[in-house]
Amino acid sequence: MPKQKSWAEPWKIKMVEHLRMTTKDERIEAIKEAGYNTFLLKSKDVYIDLLTDSGTNAMSDRQWAGIMLGDEAYAGSRNFYHLEKTITDYYSYKYLIPTHQGRGAEHIFSQIMIKEGDYVPGNMYFTTTRLHQELAGAIFVDIIIDEAHDTESHHPFKGNVDLKKLQKLIDKVGAKRIPYVSMATTVNMAGGQPISMANLKELREFTKKYNIPIAHDMTRVAENAWLIRQREKEYENVPIKDIVYEICSLTDHATMSAKKDPIVNIGGFLATNDEDVYQQAQNMVVIYEGLHTYGGMAGRDMEALAIGIVESVSDDHMRARVGQTQYLGQNLLDFGVPIIVPIGSHGVFLDAKKFLPHLEQNVFPAQTLAAEIYIESGVRTMERGIVSAGRSKETGEHYYPKLELVRITLPRRVYTQSHMDVTAESIAAVYERRNSIKGLRFTYEPEYLRFFQARFEPIE
Ligand code: P71
Protein backbone atom coordinates (compact mmCIF):
# COMPACT_ATOMS: atom_id res chain seq x y z
CA MET A 1 0.00 0.00 0.00
CA PRO A 2 1.35 3.48 -0.77
CA LYS A 3 2.09 5.57 2.34
CA GLN A 4 0.04 8.52 1.26
CA LYS A 5 -2.83 8.94 -1.16
CA SER A 6 -1.67 10.89 -4.22
CA TRP A 7 -3.12 14.28 -5.04
CA ALA A 8 -3.29 15.88 -8.43
CA GLU A 9 -3.80 19.43 -9.56
CA PRO A 10 -7.45 20.57 -9.74
CA TRP A 11 -6.88 21.96 -13.26
CA LYS A 12 -5.57 20.91 -16.66
CA ILE A 13 -3.29 22.75 -19.09
CA LYS A 14 -4.84 24.81 -21.92
CA MET A 15 -1.80 26.70 -23.20
CA VAL A 16 1.94 26.14 -22.87
CA GLU A 17 4.96 28.42 -22.85
CA HIS A 18 8.17 27.03 -24.34
CA LEU A 19 11.32 26.82 -22.25
CA ARG A 20 14.84 27.23 -23.64
CA MET A 21 17.47 24.67 -22.75
CA THR A 22 21.07 25.93 -22.41
CA THR A 23 24.52 24.35 -22.22
CA LYS A 24 26.71 24.53 -19.16
CA ASP A 25 29.17 26.81 -20.97
CA GLU A 26 26.35 29.22 -21.82
CA ARG A 27 25.26 29.25 -18.19
CA ILE A 28 28.79 29.87 -16.87
CA GLU A 29 28.98 32.89 -19.19
CA ALA A 30 25.48 34.11 -18.26
CA ILE A 31 26.03 34.01 -14.48
CA LYS A 32 29.39 35.76 -14.85
CA GLU A 33 27.71 38.53 -16.84
CA ALA A 34 25.04 38.72 -14.14
CA GLY A 35 27.70 39.38 -11.47
CA TYR A 36 26.83 36.03 -9.82
CA ASN A 37 23.48 37.47 -8.84
CA THR A 38 20.44 35.45 -9.97
CA PHE A 39 18.33 38.64 -9.95
CA LEU A 40 20.48 39.93 -12.80
CA LEU A 41 20.11 36.88 -15.06
CA LYS A 42 18.00 37.27 -18.16
CA SER A 43 14.89 35.13 -18.12
CA LYS A 44 15.76 33.76 -21.57
CA ASP A 45 18.83 32.10 -20.00
CA VAL A 46 16.77 30.38 -17.28
CA TYR A 47 15.29 26.90 -17.68
CA ILE A 48 13.17 26.39 -14.54
CA ASP A 49 12.55 29.72 -12.84
CA LEU A 50 12.16 29.26 -9.09
CA LEU A 51 13.40 32.71 -8.15
CA THR A 52 10.08 33.70 -6.66
CA ASP A 53 6.38 32.94 -6.43
CA SER A 54 5.76 36.69 -6.78
CA GLY A 55 3.80 37.65 -9.88
CA THR A 56 4.93 34.47 -11.63
CA ASN A 57 1.63 32.60 -11.28
CA ALA A 58 -0.54 31.17 -14.04
CA MET A 59 -3.98 32.77 -14.15
CA SER A 60 -7.06 30.67 -14.81
CA ASP A 61 -9.37 30.92 -17.83
CA ARG A 62 -11.83 32.72 -15.55
CA GLN A 63 -9.23 35.29 -14.56
CA TRP A 64 -8.32 35.83 -18.22
CA ALA A 65 -12.01 36.28 -18.96
CA GLY A 66 -12.04 38.86 -16.15
CA ILE A 67 -9.24 40.75 -17.95
CA MET A 68 -11.73 41.35 -20.79
CA LEU A 69 -14.12 42.91 -18.31
CA GLY A 70 -11.63 45.64 -17.42
CA ASP A 71 -13.35 48.96 -16.84
CA GLU A 72 -10.54 51.42 -17.44
CA ALA A 73 -12.36 54.50 -16.18
CA TYR A 74 -9.98 56.83 -14.36
CA ALA A 75 -12.38 57.14 -11.44
CA GLY A 76 -14.87 54.71 -9.93
CA SER A 77 -14.07 51.64 -12.08
CA ARG A 78 -16.61 48.87 -11.54
CA ASN A 79 -13.69 46.46 -11.02
CA PHE A 80 -12.69 48.48 -7.96
CA TYR A 81 -16.10 47.95 -6.36
CA HIS A 82 -15.98 44.25 -7.19
CA LEU A 83 -12.53 44.02 -5.59
CA GLU A 84 -13.62 46.01 -2.55
CA LYS A 85 -16.59 43.72 -1.96
CA THR A 86 -14.43 40.61 -2.42
CA ILE A 87 -11.93 41.88 0.15
CA THR A 88 -14.67 42.53 2.70
CA ASP A 89 -16.39 39.19 1.99
CA TYR A 90 -13.24 37.03 2.09
CA TYR A 91 -10.81 38.98 4.27
CA SER A 92 -13.23 40.87 6.56
CA TYR A 93 -11.57 44.30 6.18
CA LYS A 94 -13.92 47.25 5.73
CA TYR A 95 -11.82 49.65 3.67
CA LEU A 96 -9.59 49.10 0.64
CA ILE A 97 -6.78 51.15 -0.91
CA PRO A 98 -5.37 49.46 -4.04
CA THR A 99 -1.62 49.86 -4.73
CA HIS A 100 0.69 48.75 -7.53
CA GLN A 101 2.12 45.97 -5.35
CA GLY A 102 2.87 45.12 -1.73
CA ARG A 103 5.63 47.63 -1.08
CA GLY A 104 3.36 50.47 -2.28
CA ALA A 105 0.97 49.59 0.54
CA GLU A 106 3.87 49.23 3.02
CA HIS A 107 5.14 52.66 2.09
CA ILE A 108 1.80 54.40 2.66
CA PHE A 109 0.99 52.48 5.82
CA SER A 110 4.43 53.02 7.41
CA GLN A 111 4.34 56.76 6.68
CA ILE A 112 0.89 57.10 8.25
CA MET A 113 1.51 55.02 11.37
CA ILE A 114 5.15 55.61 12.35
CA LYS A 115 6.75 58.58 14.10
CA GLU A 116 10.54 59.08 14.26
CA GLY A 117 11.97 56.97 17.10
CA ASP A 118 9.10 54.45 17.24
CA TYR A 119 9.64 50.71 17.53
CA VAL A 120 7.90 48.17 15.31
CA PRO A 121 7.95 44.61 16.67
CA GLY A 122 7.32 41.81 14.18
CA ASN A 123 7.50 38.04 13.64
CA MET A 124 10.78 38.33 11.74
CA TYR A 125 11.63 41.05 9.25
CA PHE A 126 10.84 41.13 5.57
CA THR A 127 13.21 43.16 3.38
CA THR A 128 10.82 45.73 1.88
CA THR A 129 8.60 45.86 4.96
CA ARG A 130 11.47 46.65 7.32
CA LEU A 131 12.99 49.17 4.92
CA HIS A 132 9.72 51.14 4.77
CA GLN A 133 9.44 51.01 8.55
CA GLU A 134 13.00 52.31 8.86
CA LEU A 135 12.53 55.01 6.23
CA ALA A 136 9.53 56.22 8.25
CA GLY A 137 11.78 56.48 11.33
CA ALA A 138 11.16 53.24 13.21
CA ILE A 139 13.46 50.58 14.59
CA PHE A 140 12.36 47.03 13.83
CA VAL A 141 12.45 44.53 16.72
CA ASP A 142 12.26 40.79 16.02
CA ILE A 143 9.79 39.08 18.39
CA ILE A 144 9.46 35.72 16.64
CA ILE A 145 10.02 32.59 18.75
CA ASP A 146 13.64 31.38 18.96
CA GLU A 147 12.79 28.17 17.10
CA ALA A 148 12.27 30.23 13.92
CA HIS A 149 16.03 30.85 13.78
CA ASP A 150 16.85 27.17 14.21
CA THR A 151 16.80 25.28 10.89
CA GLU A 152 16.55 21.94 12.69
CA SER A 153 13.69 22.64 15.07
CA HIS A 154 10.53 20.78 14.04
CA HIS A 155 8.24 23.29 15.76
CA PRO A 156 5.02 23.23 13.70
CA PHE A 157 4.46 27.00 14.02
CA LYS A 158 7.83 28.68 13.66
CA GLY A 159 5.97 31.88 12.69
CA ASN A 160 4.65 32.33 16.24
CA VAL A 161 5.21 35.50 18.22
CA ASP A 162 7.05 35.23 21.55
CA LEU A 163 4.87 37.33 23.84
CA LYS A 164 7.67 37.54 26.41
CA LYS A 165 9.82 39.34 23.85
CA LEU A 166 6.96 41.74 23.15
CA GLN A 167 6.44 42.33 26.88
CA LYS A 168 10.14 43.08 27.26
CA LEU A 169 9.99 45.68 24.52
CA ILE A 170 6.90 47.32 26.05
CA ASP A 171 8.62 47.41 29.46
CA LYS A 172 11.68 49.01 27.89
CA VAL A 173 10.19 51.65 25.57
CA GLY A 174 6.52 51.92 26.61
CA ALA A 175 3.42 51.00 24.56
CA LYS A 176 3.10 54.57 23.28
CA ARG A 177 6.27 54.16 21.22
CA ILE A 178 4.88 51.06 19.48
CA PRO A 179 2.46 52.12 16.72
CA TYR A 180 1.57 48.54 15.80
CA VAL A 181 2.73 44.95 15.83
CA SER A 182 3.74 43.74 12.37
CA MET A 183 2.40 40.20 12.00
CA ALA A 184 2.97 38.16 8.86
CA THR A 185 1.05 35.04 7.93
CA THR A 186 3.57 32.50 6.74
CA VAL A 187 6.86 34.10 7.52
CA ASN A 188 8.83 34.32 4.31
CA MET A 189 12.33 34.80 5.73
CA ALA A 190 11.86 31.97 8.25
CA GLY A 191 11.20 29.51 5.43
CA GLY A 192 7.48 30.00 4.81
CA GLN A 193 6.58 29.06 8.37
CA PRO A 194 3.04 29.60 9.74
CA ILE A 195 1.70 31.31 12.83
CA SER A 196 -0.91 29.29 14.74
CA MET A 197 -4.42 30.51 15.36
CA ALA A 198 -3.88 29.94 19.08
CA ASN A 199 -0.84 32.23 19.08
CA LEU A 200 -2.62 34.88 17.05
CA LYS A 201 -5.54 34.85 19.49
CA GLU A 202 -3.11 35.29 22.39
CA LEU A 203 -1.42 38.13 20.56
CA ARG A 204 -4.78 39.79 19.98
CA GLU A 205 -5.68 39.57 23.70
CA PHE A 206 -2.25 40.79 24.73
CA THR A 207 -2.15 43.79 22.38
CA LYS A 208 -5.70 44.78 23.33
CA LYS A 209 -4.54 45.37 26.91
CA TYR A 210 -2.02 47.92 25.64
CA ASN A 211 -4.19 49.30 22.86
CA ILE A 212 -1.63 48.35 20.20
CA PRO A 213 -3.12 47.48 16.80
CA ILE A 214 -2.03 44.50 14.71
CA ALA A 215 -0.95 45.11 11.12
CA HIS A 216 -1.21 41.92 9.10
CA ASP A 217 1.15 41.18 6.22
CA MET A 218 -1.35 38.90 4.49
CA THR A 219 0.74 38.14 1.40
CA ARG A 220 0.40 34.36 1.93
CA VAL A 221 -2.53 34.13 4.35
CA ALA A 222 -4.32 31.27 2.55
CA GLU A 223 -1.14 29.18 2.68
CA ASN A 224 -0.91 29.85 6.41
CA ALA A 225 -4.55 28.77 6.73
CA TRP A 226 -3.76 25.48 4.98
CA LEU A 227 -0.89 24.80 7.40
CA ILE A 228 -3.18 25.63 10.36
CA ARG A 229 -5.59 23.05 9.02
CA GLN A 230 -2.78 20.47 8.75
CA ARG A 231 -1.19 21.17 12.10
CA GLU A 232 -3.80 22.58 14.51
CA LYS A 233 -6.21 19.89 15.64
CA GLU A 234 -9.33 22.06 16.07
CA TYR A 235 -9.09 23.25 12.48
CA GLU A 236 -8.59 19.93 10.69
CA ASN A 237 -12.05 20.04 9.12
CA VAL A 238 -12.49 23.78 8.75
CA PRO A 239 -12.50 25.12 5.15
CA ILE A 240 -9.53 27.34 4.24
CA LYS A 241 -11.94 30.14 3.40
CA ASP A 242 -13.21 30.24 6.99
CA ILE A 243 -9.73 30.05 8.51
CA VAL A 244 -8.57 32.94 6.32
CA TYR A 245 -11.55 35.03 7.40
CA GLU A 246 -10.92 34.28 11.06
CA ILE A 247 -7.22 35.20 10.84
CA CYS A 248 -8.02 38.54 9.20
CA SER A 249 -10.76 39.26 11.75
CA LEU A 250 -8.17 39.09 14.53
CA THR A 251 -6.22 42.00 13.04
CA ASP A 252 -6.81 45.72 12.41
CA HIS A 253 -4.94 46.62 9.24
CA ALA A 254 -3.40 44.65 6.39
CA THR A 255 -0.88 45.04 3.60
CA MET A 256 -0.99 42.61 0.71
CA SER A 257 1.30 41.75 -2.15
CA ALA A 258 -1.40 40.30 -4.40
CA LYS A 259 1.29 38.80 -6.62
CA LYS A 260 1.42 35.74 -4.34
CA ASP A 261 -1.63 34.10 -2.72
CA PRO A 262 -4.26 35.59 -5.07
CA ILE A 263 -2.60 34.15 -8.22
CA VAL A 264 -2.13 37.31 -10.30
CA ASN A 265 0.91 38.90 -11.92
CA ILE A 266 0.73 42.38 -10.43
CA GLY A 267 -1.15 44.25 -7.69
CA GLY A 268 -1.46 44.85 -4.00
CA PHE A 269 -3.45 46.75 -1.44
CA LEU A 270 -3.77 48.26 1.98
CA ALA A 271 -6.91 47.25 3.87
CA THR A 272 -8.08 48.50 7.23
CA ASN A 273 -11.00 48.67 9.62
CA ASP A 274 -9.92 52.10 10.88
CA GLU A 275 -11.75 54.95 9.18
CA ASP A 276 -9.13 57.50 10.14
CA VAL A 277 -6.26 55.46 8.68
CA TYR A 278 -8.38 54.89 5.58
CA GLN A 279 -8.87 58.60 5.10
CA GLN A 280 -5.18 59.38 5.45
CA ALA A 281 -4.28 56.54 3.10
CA GLN A 282 -6.78 57.75 0.50
CA ASN A 283 -4.99 61.05 0.62
CA MET A 284 -1.50 59.57 0.34
CA VAL A 285 -2.25 57.06 -2.38
CA VAL A 286 -2.96 59.84 -4.87
CA ILE A 287 0.57 61.19 -4.35
CA TYR A 288 2.47 57.95 -4.82
CA GLU A 289 0.30 55.41 -6.62
CA GLY A 290 -2.80 56.77 -8.36
CA LEU A 291 -6.40 57.67 -7.62
CA HIS A 292 -7.90 55.79 -4.65
CA THR A 293 -10.09 53.63 -6.91
CA TYR A 294 -7.16 52.11 -8.81
CA GLY A 295 -3.95 52.94 -6.92
CA GLY A 296 -1.55 51.79 -9.63
CA MET A 297 -3.57 48.90 -11.02
CA ALA A 298 -5.44 48.74 -14.30
CA GLY A 299 -9.16 47.95 -14.03
CA ARG A 300 -8.55 44.57 -15.67
CA ASP A 301 -5.91 43.72 -13.09
CA MET A 302 -8.32 44.48 -10.26
CA GLU A 303 -10.88 42.15 -11.87
CA ALA A 304 -8.35 39.30 -12.24
CA LEU A 305 -7.38 39.85 -8.60
CA ALA A 306 -10.96 39.72 -7.33
CA ILE A 307 -11.42 36.37 -9.11
CA GLY A 308 -8.00 35.12 -7.96
CA ILE A 309 -8.83 35.77 -4.31
CA VAL A 310 -11.80 33.42 -4.53
CA GLU A 311 -9.70 30.74 -6.28
CA SER A 312 -6.89 31.07 -3.74
CA VAL A 313 -9.04 30.06 -0.78
CA SER A 314 -10.21 26.84 -2.42
CA ASP A 315 -9.20 23.73 -0.46
CA ASP A 316 -8.45 21.80 -3.66
CA HIS A 317 -6.16 24.53 -4.96
CA MET A 318 -4.25 24.74 -1.71
CA ARG A 319 -3.87 20.97 -1.37
CA ALA A 320 -2.06 20.88 -4.74
CA ARG A 321 -0.16 24.12 -4.14
CA VAL A 322 1.36 23.13 -0.84
CA GLY A 323 1.47 19.47 -1.91
CA GLN A 324 3.92 20.37 -4.68
CA THR A 325 6.19 22.22 -2.25
CA GLN A 326 6.13 19.29 0.14
CA TYR A 327 6.91 16.90 -2.72
CA LEU A 328 10.02 18.87 -3.73
CA GLY A 329 11.13 19.19 -0.10
CA GLN A 330 10.74 15.48 0.55
CA ASN A 331 12.77 14.65 -2.58
CA LEU A 332 15.60 16.85 -1.34
CA LEU A 333 15.47 15.29 2.13
CA ASP A 334 15.69 11.85 0.49
CA PHE A 335 18.91 12.99 -1.23
CA GLY A 336 20.28 14.08 2.19
CA VAL A 337 20.31 17.78 1.24
CA PRO A 338 20.04 20.10 4.29
CA ILE A 339 16.77 22.08 4.16
CA ILE A 340 14.60 23.94 6.65
CA VAL A 341 12.08 21.70 8.37
CA PRO A 342 9.14 21.53 8.64
CA ILE A 343 8.77 22.18 4.90
CA GLY A 344 6.87 25.45 4.40
CA SER A 345 4.26 26.45 1.87
CA HIS A 346 5.68 28.62 -0.90
CA GLY A 347 9.10 27.13 -1.27
CA VAL A 348 11.85 24.90 0.01
CA PHE A 349 14.79 26.60 1.73
CA LEU A 350 18.30 25.16 1.54
CA ASP A 351 20.43 25.66 4.63
CA ALA A 352 23.56 27.13 3.02
CA LYS A 353 25.56 27.08 6.27
CA LYS A 354 25.14 23.30 6.41
CA PHE A 355 25.42 22.82 2.65
CA LEU A 356 28.73 24.72 2.49
CA PRO A 357 30.10 24.52 6.06
CA HIS A 358 33.61 25.42 4.88
CA LEU A 359 32.50 28.95 3.84
CA GLU A 360 32.37 31.87 6.33
CA GLN A 361 29.18 33.94 6.19
CA ASN A 362 31.12 36.97 4.89
CA VAL A 363 31.88 35.17 1.62
CA PHE A 364 28.14 34.79 1.02
CA PRO A 365 27.46 31.03 1.06
CA ALA A 366 23.82 31.32 -0.05
CA GLN A 367 24.65 33.71 -2.89
CA THR A 368 27.39 31.31 -3.99
CA LEU A 369 25.08 28.30 -3.81
CA ALA A 370 22.33 29.98 -5.88
CA ALA A 371 24.93 30.73 -8.59
CA GLU A 372 26.19 27.11 -8.53
CA ILE A 373 22.67 25.68 -8.86
CA TYR A 374 22.09 27.88 -11.89
CA ILE A 375 25.35 26.71 -13.47
CA GLU A 376 24.45 23.07 -12.80
CA SER A 377 21.07 23.01 -14.50
CA GLY A 378 19.63 26.43 -15.35
CA VAL A 379 17.35 26.37 -12.29
CA ARG A 380 17.09 29.89 -10.85
CA THR A 381 16.78 30.31 -7.07
CA MET A 382 17.23 33.24 -4.67
CA GLU A 383 19.63 34.15 -1.88
CA ARG A 384 17.95 34.81 1.48
CA GLY A 385 20.83 35.36 3.83
CA ILE A 386 23.46 37.96 4.63
CA VAL A 387 23.15 39.76 1.28
CA SER A 388 19.37 40.13 1.74
CA ALA A 389 19.80 41.20 5.37
CA GLY A 390 21.80 44.30 4.36
CA ARG A 391 23.62 46.65 6.72
CA SER A 392 22.56 48.27 9.97
CA LYS A 393 21.57 51.92 9.58
CA GLU A 394 23.35 52.71 12.85
CA THR A 395 26.65 50.84 12.66
CA GLY A 396 27.07 50.38 8.89
CA GLU A 397 28.02 46.73 9.55
CA HIS A 398 26.43 43.76 7.78
CA TYR A 399 23.53 42.25 9.67
CA TYR A 400 24.64 38.64 10.27
CA PRO A 401 21.36 36.70 10.16
CA LYS A 402 21.32 33.23 11.72
CA LEU A 403 19.55 31.95 8.65
CA GLU A 404 21.70 31.76 5.53
CA LEU A 405 19.33 30.28 2.97
CA VAL A 406 18.71 29.63 -0.67
CA ARG A 407 15.03 29.78 -1.49
CA ILE A 408 13.58 27.49 -4.13
CA THR A 409 10.23 29.12 -4.70
CA LEU A 410 7.29 27.64 -6.55
CA PRO A 411 5.10 29.78 -8.77
CA ARG A 412 1.43 28.77 -8.52
CA ARG A 413 0.05 26.43 -11.21
CA VAL A 414 3.13 26.82 -13.44
CA TYR A 415 5.46 23.81 -13.17
CA THR A 416 4.82 20.07 -13.09
CA GLN A 417 6.06 17.36 -10.80
CA SER A 418 8.71 16.44 -13.42
CA HIS A 419 10.16 19.94 -13.12
CA MET A 420 10.40 19.29 -9.40
CA ASP A 421 12.26 16.02 -10.03
CA VAL A 422 14.80 17.74 -12.29
CA THR A 423 15.26 20.48 -9.71
CA ALA A 424 15.86 18.08 -6.84
CA GLU A 425 18.31 15.97 -8.88
CA SER A 426 20.35 18.98 -9.96
CA ILE A 427 20.62 20.30 -6.42
CA ALA A 428 21.71 16.85 -5.28
CA ALA A 429 24.44 16.99 -7.96
CA VAL A 430 25.71 20.31 -6.56
CA TYR A 431 25.63 18.78 -3.08
CA GLU A 432 27.93 15.99 -4.27
CA ARG A 433 30.58 18.47 -5.42
CA ARG A 434 30.06 20.91 -2.53
CA ASN A 435 33.60 20.68 -1.14
CA SER A 436 35.12 22.28 -4.23
CA ILE A 437 32.84 25.35 -4.08
CA LYS A 438 34.45 28.68 -3.13
CA GLY A 439 32.83 31.97 -2.03
CA LEU A 440 32.21 35.40 -3.57
CA ARG A 441 33.09 39.02 -2.87
CA PHE A 442 31.28 42.25 -3.73
CA THR A 443 32.30 44.24 -6.79
CA TYR A 444 29.28 46.58 -6.45
CA GLU A 445 27.01 47.13 -3.45
CA PRO A 446 23.91 49.35 -3.80
CA GLU A 447 22.68 51.33 -0.80
CA TYR A 448 19.08 50.08 -0.61
CA LEU A 449 17.84 46.49 -0.94
CA ARG A 450 21.31 45.58 -2.12
CA PHE A 451 20.46 41.98 -3.04
CA PHE A 452 18.54 43.09 -6.14
CA GLN A 453 21.44 44.73 -7.98
CA ALA A 454 24.63 43.71 -6.17
CA ARG A 455 27.44 42.27 -8.25
CA PHE A 456 30.10 39.76 -7.17
CA GLU A 457 33.20 37.95 -8.35
CA PRO A 458 34.50 34.54 -7.30
CA ILE A 459 37.23 34.30 -4.66
CA GLU A 460 40.04 32.17 -6.06
C1 P71 B 1 9.25 37.35 -2.75
C2 P71 B 1 8.75 38.73 -2.74
C3 P71 B 1 9.21 39.68 -3.79
C4 P71 B 1 10.54 40.18 -3.38
C5 P71 B 1 10.63 41.28 -2.57
C6 P71 B 1 11.87 41.65 -2.08
C7 P71 B 1 12.98 40.90 -2.41
C8 P71 B 1 12.89 39.82 -3.25
C9 P71 B 1 11.67 39.45 -3.73
C10 P71 B 1 7.43 40.20 -1.44
C11 P71 B 1 6.78 40.45 -0.21
C12 P71 B 1 6.59 39.41 0.76
C13 P71 B 1 6.02 39.70 1.98
C14 P71 B 1 5.85 38.66 3.01
C15 P71 B 1 5.78 41.98 1.33
C16 P71 B 1 6.35 41.75 0.10
C17 P71 B 1 6.51 42.90 -0.85
N1 P71 B 1 8.02 39.06 -1.68
N2 P71 B 1 5.63 40.97 2.24
O1 P71 B 1 9.03 36.63 -1.76
O2 P71 B 1 6.97 38.15 0.52
O3 P71 B 1 5.58 42.81 -1.87
O4 P71 B 1 6.98 42.46 -3.92
O5 P71 B 1 4.56 43.07 -4.07
O6 P71 B 1 6.20 44.74 -3.30
O7 P71 B 1 9.85 36.95 -3.76
P1 P71 B 1 5.85 43.30 -3.36
Side-chain angles (χ1 to χ4, degrees):
M1 278 290 283
K3 269 200 309 255
Q4 203 192 340
K5 244 174 94 188
S6 295
W7 49 267
E9 292 79 3
W11 39 261
K12 57 185 178 172
I13 296 166
K14 195 181 315 232
M15 189 188 281
V16 299
E17 180 180 335
H18 290 284
L19 299 176
R20 193 170 80 97
M21 318 287 279
T22 49
T23 64
K24 194 162 190 171
D25 284 345
E26 286 171 330
R27 294 193 293 272
I28 288 172
E29 199 46 44
I31 196 74
K32 190 172 162 202
E33 251 179 56
Y36 298 85
N37 183 347
T38 53
F39 279 107
L40 299 178
L41 284 168
K42 292 178 179 147
S43 159
K44 74 166 179 55
D45 296 326
V46 174
Y47 172 36
I48 301 175
D49 201 347
L50 307 179
L51 182 73
T52 177
D53 62 332
S54 181
T56 51
N57 308 300
M59 292 206 295
S60 67
D61 48 0
R62 291 196 191 102
Q63 287 176 290
W64 279 106
I67 291 272
M68 295 306 295
L69 300 177
D71 170 3
E72 308 304 342
Y74 190 88
S77 159
R78 60 169 71 82
N79 311 121
F80 168 77
Y81 297 105
H82 180 199
L83 179 60
E84 187 183 49
K85 182 172 182 325
T86 307
I87 279 161
T88 304
D89 288 352
Y90 284 82
Y91 297 148
S92 82
Y93 302 111
K94 271 200 220 152
Y95 305 112
L96 164 70
I97 299 283
T99 58
H100 75 287
Q101 60 183 77
R103 67 199 74 177
E106 291 168 351
H107 171 221
I108 292 173
F109 185 69
S110 304
Q111 292 292 333
I112 292 172
M113 300 293 288
I114 293 168
K115 288 191 301 298
E116 187 68 38
D118 280 351
Y119 293 82
V120 175
N123 55 347
M124 203 173 267
Y125 82 99
F126 185 73
T127 52
T128 59
T129 321
R130 183 178 67 191
L131 179 61
H132 279 298
Q133 291 159 356
E134 289 176 350
L135 289 172
I139 293 169
F140 176 82
V141 181
D142 191 1
I143 56 162
I144 205 163
I145 57 172
D146 286 340
E147 286 87 343
H149 296 279
D150 175 358
T151 56
E152 279 179 8
S153 156
H154 282 264
H155 195 295
F157 292 105
K158 284 177 163 181
N160 280 357
V161 167
D162 184 339
L163 290 176
K164 287 194 293 296
K165 291 185 186 172
L166 180 55
Q167 181 73 62
K168 219 170 115 191
L169 180 68
I170 293 173
D171 293 344
K172 193 171 138 208
V173 305
K176 286 215 161 57
R177 302 280 297 280
I178 302 174
Y180 59 91
V181 172
S182 183
M183 187 282 297
T185 37
T186 80
V187 178
N188 195 351
M189 301 300 276
Q193 303 294 325
I195 181 169
S196 72
M197 191 72 88
N199 184 255
L200 179 54
K201 284 180 180 162
E202 277 170 22
L203 178 67
R204 167 95 280 189
E205 281 312 303
F206 184 91
T207 50
K208 232 191 218 162
K209 276 193 309 204
Y210 293 97
N211 217 4
I212 301 173
I214 300 176
H216 177 197
D217 180 341
M218 62 180 299
T219 297
R220 296 180 185 85
V221 63
E223 292 180 7
N224 197 118
W226 176 261
L227 295 173
I228 285 179
R229 186 159 124 159
Q230 300 296 298
R231 299 176 191 173
E232 217 165 343
K233 195 88 189 103
E234 300 163 65
Y235 288 89
E236 69 184 342
N237 294 315
V238 182
I240 299 305
K241 179 170 167 284
D242 297 351
I243 302 175
V244 166
Y245 193 90
E246 187 176 349
I247 292 172
C248 294
S249 307
L250 291 165
T251 70
D252 304 285
H253 315 281
T255 53
M256 167 64 116
S257 169
K259 302 167 74 172
K260 283 81 165 177
D261 239 8
I263 331 176
V264 289
N265 303 117
I266 192 70
F269 59 80
L270 168 62
T272 179
N273 294 325
D274 183 323
E275 200 178 343
D276 185 44
V277 170
Y278 176 55
Q279 229 172 35
Q280 291 183 60
Q282 270 196 324
N283 208 235
M284 272 193 78
V285 77
V286 296
I287 312 174
Y288 295 105
E289 303 276 323
L291 191 74
H292 57 275
T293 56
Y294 75 86
M297 269 192 277
R300 55 179 171 266
D301 292 331
M302 292 192 280
E303 190 62 27
L305 171 54
I307 297 165
I309 288 171
V310 180
E311 293 183 3
S312 78
V313 298
S314 137
D315 295 347
D316 291 340
H317 162 67
M318 210 39 89
R319 180 177 300 108
R321 159 70 177 154
V322 183
Q324 188 177 45
T325 311
Q326 306 277 323
Y327 174 83
L328 173 64
Q330 193 53 53
N331 270 0
L332 287 166
L333 285 173
D334 293 346
F335 280 121
V337 172
I339 64 169
I340 293 206
V341 288
I343 300 162
S345 60
H346 68 306
V348 178
F349 291 68
L350 303 176
D351 185 342
K353 283 188 186 172
K354 292 216 174 72
F355 201 115
L356 301 172
H358 56 289
L359 298 188
E360 296 289 330
Q361 203 168 5
N362 62 11
V363 300
F364 315 121
Q367 189 78 31
T368 307
L369 182 52
E372 289 294 335
I373 291 168
Y374 171 74
I375 291 171
E376 182 67 36
S377 58
V379 171
R380 171 154 70 171
T381 58
M382 185 192 291
E383 192 266 7
R384 297 277 80 175
I386 185 167
V387 182
S388 297
R391 289 182 190 273
S392 158
K393 204 169 71 171
E394 276 135 34
T395 65
E397 289 298 314
H398 293 301
Y399 289 114
Y400 280 83
K402 274 205 188 131
L403 299 181
E404 178 70 22
L405 310 174
V406 171
R407 189 181 72 174
I408 312 162
T409 341
L410 305 190
R412 295 164 189 79
R413 307 192 292 208
V414 171
Y415 291 111
T416 65
Q417 221 145 292
S418 323
H419 290 112
M420 298 303 106
D421 293 341
V422 169
T423 300
E425 285 164 21
S426 67
I427 291 168
V430 177
Y431 193 54
E432 271 183 20
R433 61 177 175 80
R434 63 190 178 278
N435 291 332
S436 64
I437 295 173
K438 297 185 183 127
L440 295 168
R441 67 175 149 247
F442 272 121
T443 57
Y444 166 60
E445 182 185 351
E447 186 179 351
Y448 298 111
L449 302 174
R450 63 184 184 178
F451 50 89
F452 282 129
Q453 288 133 357
R455 302 185 68 86
F456 302 84
E457 64 185 9
I459 297 172
E460 284 313 323

